[in-house]
Each structure stands twice: as C-alpha cells, then as structure tokens.
Amino acid sequence: MTATSPVEQVGGGVATYVDQRIGSNKFLARNLGKVFPDHWSFMLGEIALYSFIVVLLTGTFLTLFFKPSMAEVLYDGSYVPLKGIKMSQAYSSTLDISFDVRGGLLLRQMHHWAALIFIAAMSVHMFRVFFTGAFRKPREFNWIIGVALVTLGLGAGFSGYSLPDDLLSGTGLQIARGIMQSIPVIGTWMAFLLFGGEFPGTEFISRLYGVHILLIPGLILALVTIHLMLVWTQKHTQFPGPGRTNDNVVGYPLMPVYMAKAGGFFFVVFGVIALIGGLVTINPIWIFGPFMPDQVSAGSQPDWYIGWLDGALRTMPNIESSLFGFTISWNIFIPAVVIPGIIFTALALYPFLEAWVTGDKKEHHLLDRPRNAPTRTGIGVMALTFYLLLWVGGGNDIIAITFGLSINSIIWFLRIALIILPPIMFIVTRRICLSLQRRDREKLLHGYESGRILRLPHGEFIEVHQPINAKEMAVITGKTDITPLPLPPATDADGVRNKHFQVKKLRAKLSGFFYSENIALPTAAEIEAGQHHAEHAAAIEAPLHAYEDADQINRAHGGVLHHPGMPLTNAEQLAEDGGHL
Amino acid sequence: MKFLAARRRSPLAAVAMLLIALIGIGAGYAVIANARPAEAAAVASTETQVEQGKRLYLEGCASCHGMQSQGTSQGPTLIGVGAAAVDFQVGSGRMPMAMPGAQAAPRDPAQYTDDQIAAMAAYVASLAPGPAIPTQEDVNFESADAAQGGVLFRTNCSQCHQAAGQGGALTQGKYAPSLMNAEPKEIYEAMITGPQSMPVFSNATIPTQDKQAIIKYIDTLQTLPDPGGLALGRLGPVPETVFLWTAVFAALIAVAIWIGIKAR
C-alpha cells in the first residue's frame, strides 16, 4: 500500500480497530455497495419511516410530562378559561405540556402531525405497491407485514388520539366502546373487560397508555425491521427501462448515493414536520375542554385515518333487530366491524387471490405499469373510490355547514354513490388502462406523433411519425403478456368426471376476466410490418390528382402523381425530411 | 375620442360594452334597493310606538304571521313570543325572511332601523306577555366566571354550536350558526327566546348569572389567541385532514419527485 492521506489513515485505522473486534469490514464491504433502483414513488415508504422516527423522538419527550391517570384534579395551570375546573390528570397534564412546559406545545403538535403523516405515507406507499404489482411473488409476506403495519398505525394513532382525555377523544372512545358492544354475544363482555367497568371508568387511559407507548410501537419497530430486511434480501423492485430485467437491479449504490439522498430526505421530512408543528395548530385540546360523559361537541371527528370508519357509521341506515330478547345493532356492527373486517382481510389476501386467479407462479422483480394490469388497477381504483366516499361521509356535518348543504342529502347521496360509483370507476379505469395499452402498441408500430405537419406534393397534409427512443421502447416492451387460463375439460380422456371442474371453471373465468382483453405487445415481425405498412398507407390512400401539365408526369406510383425531379413516393419525400409515417 | 374610435371594431369592444352595461345596471339597482323607507320614521312622531309597530307589522310581517299575529302556514304565531324575540329576529336581519328556506339566515345590516325594531317589539309585546329585551344589567358579564361558563357551554351549547362556537350542521340543511360575531345581547335573547331550532333556556333552566357566565365564555372564545399557530378554523380534524393532504403531503411528494429527478 502506498502512502495515503491523513484522513484515509485515520479512517482506515478506525475501520481496522472496529473490524478486529466485531468483524464489520466484510459485512460493510458487501452491503455498502448494494444497488437500489431510483424512482420518486420508492420514497413514499421512506416518508413513513422518517415520520415514525419523529413520532418516537417527540413521543419520548411527551412521556416525561404526561400523566396517564383518570384521577380527578382541579386545574391550576396557566390556561385561564379552564382554571378551577375538575378534570382528569391526563387532561390536566396535557394542558401543562401545552402551556407550561417549555417547547411542549411544539413537540405535542409535531408528534400529532408526524403521526398523521406516518399513516398517510404508509397508505400512499401501499397504493404504490398495489398499483405496480410489487406485492407479487416473492414479496407476498412483505405485503402482509405492510398491511399489519397500517393496521398497527391506525391503532397507534387512535390510542394516542384518545389519551389526552379531552372532549373529542372521550367522544371517540365512547364510539369505540359502542362498536365493541355491537359485536353479538361477546361485545358487552369485551367492553366491560377492556374498560374495567362502566364507561368511562377510571382505568382505561392508563391501560391505553401502555398499549400506545409500549406494545404498538414495539410491534411496529419489529415489523419495520423485518419489512426492511426483506427489502434488503429480496432486493428492491424496479420499473421497466433500458437494461432493466427481471434478474438485475439497475440503480445507484447505497454508499454514497443513497446515504446522501435518504439522509437529506430525512432532514426534509423532519424539517417539514417541525415547521408545521410550530406554525399550524393541531388538536387544540384546551378549546375542546375536559371529557365529561354528558357533553359532546358538534363536528366531532376522528383523525383522518379513522374518518372512513366514522363515515361508514354515519352513512349506514338505522337497522336494528331483536333476537331472543337481545338487540343486535346492525347499524353499528355492519359499518364498524363487518366492513373493516372484509376490507382488511381482502387487503391482506389480495396477492394470493390474484396469484390464484391468474395462475402466475413466476417471480417478479420488474414492476407492472398500472395500465398493464387493467383489472388490478380497476379493482384498486374501485376500492379507493369506496374508501374516499366513506371518508367524505366522515366529514358530512362540516361539509354541510361549510357549503350550505343539507346533511340528509349528503347521506343519501353517499348511500347511493357507495353502491353505484365504485363499479363505474372500475369500468372507466379499466377502459382507460386498455386505451393506454393500445396507445403503447401504436407507438411501437408507428412511432409517436411528432406534431410536424408535412404537405405532400399533391397537396395532402400528413403528420410525421417519429420512432420512439430506446428508453421509451424499453419501458413499453417491459410488459409481460399473460394469456388467460384455458377452460378445464369436464371429463378426462377416459370420460371420468373432473372432480374440481366447478372450481377450475371459476378460476378460468376469473382469469379471463383479468386478462382476456389484454392488448398484446406486437411481435418483432409485426413491428417491421407495421412500419412498412405505414410507409405505404399514405401513398396508397392518397387521392389522384389531375394535373394540367400532365405531359410532364413521367410516373405515377400508388395513385400519387409526380413531376420530374421530385421524390417518387411519399415515403421518399418523408425520408428526405428525416421521418417516416 | 380617437382612442375609442380606433378600437370600436375590436373583438373586445362588445365585451367591454356588455361589462359597462352590467356594471351600470348593477350600480343603479344597488342605489334603488338600498334606499330605505325613510318616510315611515317621519310619520312616527304623530303616533304612539305601539301604533307605529302595528303599522310596520301589517306592512312587513302580517303576510306570513297573520293579521292578528295568529300565525299561518307560512309562519308561527307571534302571540307571547315577547319583545326579545322581535329584537333578536329583526335586529339580526333574520326577519323579514329573504326567501323560504331551511331556516332564516342573518343579514347585515338589518332591514329596519333601531326605532322601527323597537316599535315592532313594543307591538308584539302588547299582544301577550313574553320575554322582554334584556337590560344592560342583564348582559353585563364582567364579573362572571369564564371557566364555569365553559362548563355550562359544553353541557348546553356545544352539541350544536361546536366546542369552539364555530357552529354546526343540523338536519335538513338547518344549522346552528357560528357565535364568533355574536353580541352579548344577541346571545342572551337567543337563550330566552329559542330562535329557529334552538331550545328555550329560560331563567328557570339557566339563571341570569349562568347566562352571563356563558356569554363571558363565548366572549373568551372570540378573543382567544391561538398559541399553536394557524387555527384552521378551530373546526378540528376535518380541516386538519385537508391541510395534511393538500399542503403537507403534497410538499413531501414534491420533494420526493425533485430528488427522483436529480438522479437522471
């Protein structure tokens, strides 16, 4: 080794010292150069991770001052409009954090905003994974871990929302308890068990505290670790592009490119959270007042991620029935237990359902462009529409008063729209995807429309098509065409009845539903023929012209008349201009 | 004139003419519509307040509330509603109602002068006993306890008017209005008369002292600073959600895209 700079000497010395003790060099050498593909949508999960770090940091600060107790105290802090009022210690200590702890309000607001961003980023990240088919083999388990993380995120958020024991959070808990009680047979037992008696009792906040600061964050941390380890070992998926195949990863190494990018992005996320934590009020608990079971505020809403559940409750018609003297509240049980149950189960099982329907057992490291999986994209948009409509329902009273509408009309609109709009959105999305596929096919066959208009010698105007560049070509041809499964035979060669005929028939039909309308990529021969055809189409279809000086015409080709010295065909004319049809 | 003449055939000339005509008609209408019926006040000196009130009532109110204030299918009876109800409804511009709707909306300014409102109040009060217009003393909340008022407010008012007094939606397009611009007398009158969908909170339910405490708390809310920064209308999670997705998340995604672009 030749002489190195002092920096390298010191760095090398440290690396050797550490390596001799924990054997880190081999590990680092192998992993620091790991390549990741680049796309902005791959950073959505990063937003979630970074906001979660902010949540942990600010949350740790809050635990120093928050007292998770429902014991009654008389408030004696700096917020005058509540002075001398009876309240729980939890609420009183949250007021103290807001008004009497230095920097307390800033950190409380950062904690709350970061939590909202955390769940928002997880959700959008999930949409990205869904619409690009990143959940396909071999990443199904990681998808399930992701669904678990979203669910835990909702739990973390709701438990945190409920801790300050203000009027809003108490109202939320009251609804949560009502939802528990709506579960037939075990509901009432469950509610009494969890709350330690009647509502609101004296136990629940301290129980929830343990869940909020220990159980859920612990689980989230553990699952995030596995989530990232799997990304590491399975390697990150990539969009189709030049040089990208199912067997490689094209991108930049972790060190130094992603170290810098991810590090910088962490500080951006942290900065944005700090900025809005300082500038924009969130959850002003001092205005809502302490929770009293006999009080409630108009416009009581949960945080955004529970909004769709609240919307489901608000939109559901009021149906109850009585069985053996017990009331079954379908109006609560269906929207708040059954519908979320179905949604989360379907979400977790989707990769397996799709793989079963499509019979796809291959590994996928190349992402689907959403247009290339029209049925999946349609299903996603359909689910999203349903979700967003429920979300609107959660804010129906605020919408009514803000826009001067009748809340009853909004509810009826949503009841009808929830049934009608999602299927319409499915069909529309699917058609749009198929049209985009057709356009891609056109581009491969005839190039893109250059926007350059050319006047041919006989007067006709044509638009010049240019061949697409290599990058776009790679993106479009990165698509894999899948043929639908064939219908199974009803009997085998010996005439024995196929035992699984019905199931297999269903599967073949669903597979046809998924793939039958697929616009297949053109073959190389078709592309060749397409180009050739395009060159001649204009020439053949061009109208005949009667020139007065017909004696000068020496040759007619494809119906187009030519003067001496002019290009003989339209294609030649185009070639001179550097394009083709 | 040369400037105009040169441009009279411009394609924008017709648009400009139309705009001028519209502004002219609008301005003319505004002048005529805002001309108050001043002659009524001039006659008033020769008649008693109740007589004047009755005349104004017959002119402006009887078509809906009935010639004898007995009420019709268009409006409720006014017998026994008291002077406070007239002062509140007409004083806030809710009456006379501009058009049939879910409920009467306040208008600023009111459609009658203070003297005319007082005359109509006197007339309606002469029909039968009812809640009187609160005195200065009634609405004096200086010595009241805001914190106690807050408890009363959250128990009795916030389920419709929202915890921060920002108002809330009721059924069929009806609503509880925002209290952020409500004056002490208005609040007091609303409590004793129960306008629109609001229940009556008589002195037997909420004594004067407690009413003053509530008014004090509303006054506190009106003047309360927002230590957390931008208040987002103090409407809770819905505007927070809108802000989160339209501003914060959009900004984060913009940064992500920016970082992504830099890679190429």
Side-chain angles (χ1 to χ4, degrees), chain A residues 439 443 446-454 462-468 574 577-581:
Chain A
R439 201 170 99 93
K443 276 189 181 173
H446 307 299
Y448 72 96
E449 295 170 357
S450 67
R452 226 177 85 234
I453 308 294
L454 194 68
I462 58 160
E463 185 177 10
V464 178
H465 286 229
Q466 300 274 26
I468 52 176
L574 279 170
D577 281 64
H580 72 275
L581 287 161

Side-chain angles (χ1 to χ4, degrees), chain B residues 178-218:
Chain B
S178 160
L179 304 176
M180 285 304 100
N181 295 312
E183 283 160 24
K185 190 176 78 158
E186 248 183 301
I187 302 168
Y188 197 103
E189 284 172 346
M191 285 192 274
I192 54 176
T193 62
Q196 328 296 354
S197 304
M198 185 164 159
V200 173
F201 296 94
S202 71
N203 286 350
T205 330
I206 298 184
T208 305
Q209 224 181 342
D210 288 351
K211 285 194 174 79
Q212 287 164 353
I214 290 174
I215 294 170
K216 171 107 173 183
Y217 185 69
I218 294 171

Side-chain angles (χ1 to χ4, degrees), chain A residues 118-119 151-161 211-212 216-217 220 305:
Chain A
F118 172 51
I119 306 172
T151 317
L152 284 169
L154 299 191
F158 188 74
S159 57
Y161 169 93
V211 172
H212 180 73
I216 294 182
I220 290 179
Y305 45 84

Side-chain angles (χ1 to χ4, degrees), chain A residues 30 39 59 93 104 121 124 144 195 214 255 264 269 321 425 434 440 488:
Chain A
R30 205 178 62 224
H39 192 266
S93 62
V124 180
I144 291 187
F195 281 79
L214 193 68
M255 181 78 193
V269 172
S321 55
M425 290 307 289
L434 289 168
D440 283 349

Side-chain angles (χ1 to χ4, degrees), chain A residues 38-40 43-44 47 79-85 99 105 109 112-113 116-117 120-124 161 167-168 252 261 264-265 268-269 272 276-284 286-290 294-304 391 394-402 405-409 471, chain B residues 102 145-178 217 220-221 224-232 234-245 247-249 251-264:
Chain A
D38 216 355
H39 192 266
W40 68 266
M43 276 179 261
L44 295 165
I47 301 179
Y79 184 67
V80 178
L82 285 173
K83 235 181 165 90
I85 299 296
F99 293 108
L105 183 57
Q109 296 199 143
H112 204 141
W113 278 120
L116 297 194
I117 293 170
M122 279 200 292
S123 314
V124 180
Y161 169 93
L167 190 50
L168 204 56
Y252 295 92
K261 280 193 181 204
F265 197 38
V268 170
V269 172
V272 167
I276 51 170
L279 295 177
V280 186
T281 309
I282 188 163
N283 200 20
W286 54 92
I287 284 182
F288 301 130
D294 61 339
Q295 297 175 356
V296 70
S297 167
S300 287
Q301 254 89 14
D303 277 339
W304 80 264
W391 206 29
N396 60 7
D397 50 349
I398 303 287
I399 293 170
I401 191 160
T402 308
L405 299 169
S406 157
I407 199 167
N408 304 53
S409 315
K471 180 164 186 259
Chain B
D145 179 0
Q148 206 50 48
V151 175
L152 289 163
F153 183 84
R154 286 188 292 275
T155 310
N156 296 293
C157 318
S158 68
Q159 57 265 61
C160 298
H161 288 284
Q162 199 252 3
Q166 299 293 330
L170 303 174
T171 54
Q172 307 289 4
K174 293 186 290 243
Y175 62 93
S178 160
Y217 185 69
T220 309
L221 286 175
L224 194 68
D226 290 302
L230 193 67
L232 300 178
R234 290 189 189 161
L235 278 170
V238 172
E240 286 163 11
T241 300
V242 173
F243 181 78
L244 172 79
W245 285 97
V248 183
F249 212 73
L252 288 175
I253 289 192
V255 173
I257 292 174
W258 176 67
I259 295 176
I261 288 171
K262 286 273 162 178
R264 285 194 202 130

Side-chain angles (χ1 to χ4, degrees), chain A residues 13-257:
Chain A
V14 172
T16 310
Y17 180 86
V18 177
D19 182 51
Q20 282 166 353
R21 281 154 186 83
I22 61 171
S24 54
N25 277 6
K26 206 175 153 195
F27 175 83
L28 288 175
R30 205 178 62 224
N31 288 309
L32 282 180
K34 198 173 177 70
V35 167
F36 281 89
D38 216 355
H39 192 266
W40 68 266
S41 69
F42 300 163
M43 276 179 261
L44 295 165
E46 283 182 43
I47 301 179
L49 182 65
Y50 302 151
S51 50
F52 182 60
I53 293 172
V54 178
V55 170
L56 286 183
L57 291 175
T58 51
T60 309
F61 175 86
L62 296 177
T63 57
L64 303 178
F65 304 99
F66 180 70
K67 298 188 185 74
S69 157
M70 292 171 93
E72 209 169 61
V73 292
L74 283 184
Y75 179 66
D76 190 28
S78 348
Y79 184 67
V80 178
L82 285 173
K83 235 181 165 90
I85 299 296
K86 275 187 203 166
M87 57 182 65
S88 69
Q89 210 162 29
Y91 183 67
S92 157
S93 62
T94 314
L95 285 176
D96 288 343
I97 290 172
S98 305
F99 293 108
D100 295 302
V101 174
R102 196 174 294 268
L105 183 57
L106 172 69
L107 275 113
R108 223 197 92 220
Q109 296 199 143
M110 278 176 71
H111 187 70
H112 204 141
W113 278 120
L116 297 194
I117 293 170
F118 172 51
I119 306 172
M122 279 200 292
S123 314
V124 180
H125 172 58
M126 190 177 75
F127 295 140
R128 198 281 293 168
V129 169
F130 181 86
F131 285 117
T132 58
F135 54 78
R136 291 172 298 171
K137 188 181 172 186
R139 296 183 177 78
E140 300 99 321
F141 288 172
N142 225 10
W143 168 264
I144 291 187
I145 290 171
V147 173
L149 278 169
V150 170
T151 317
L152 284 169
L154 299 191
F158 188 74
S159 57
Y161 169 93
S162 305
L163 281 181
D165 204 24
D166 59 310
L167 190 50
L168 204 56
S169 75
T171 306
L173 278 183
Q174 215 160 7
I175 295 170
R177 186 179 164 115
I179 293 169
M180 274 179 224
Q181 287 173 320
S182 78
I183 302 171
V185 186
I186 60 162
T188 312
W189 297 97
M190 207 167 106
F192 271 81
L193 182 70
L194 290 178
F195 281 79
E198 287 284 356
F199 186 79
T202 53
E203 301 290 326
F204 198 62
I205 298 277
S206 39
R207 290 180 182 184
L208 208 57
Y209 188 61
V211 172
H212 180 73
I213 69 158
L214 193 68
L215 190 61
I216 294 182
L219 283 171
I220 290 179
L221 266 178
L223 287 180
V224 164
T225 311
I226 302 173
H227 200 68
L228 292 177
M229 278 165 66
L230 280 172
V231 171
W232 199 273
T233 56
Q234 293 177 334
K235 298 178 188 60
H236 203 289
T237 51
Q238 57 187 349
F239 278 105
R244 296 178 184 174
T245 70
N246 211 23
D247 306 312
N248 68 4
V249 180
V250 178
Y252 295 92
L254 183 70
M255 181 78 193
V257 176

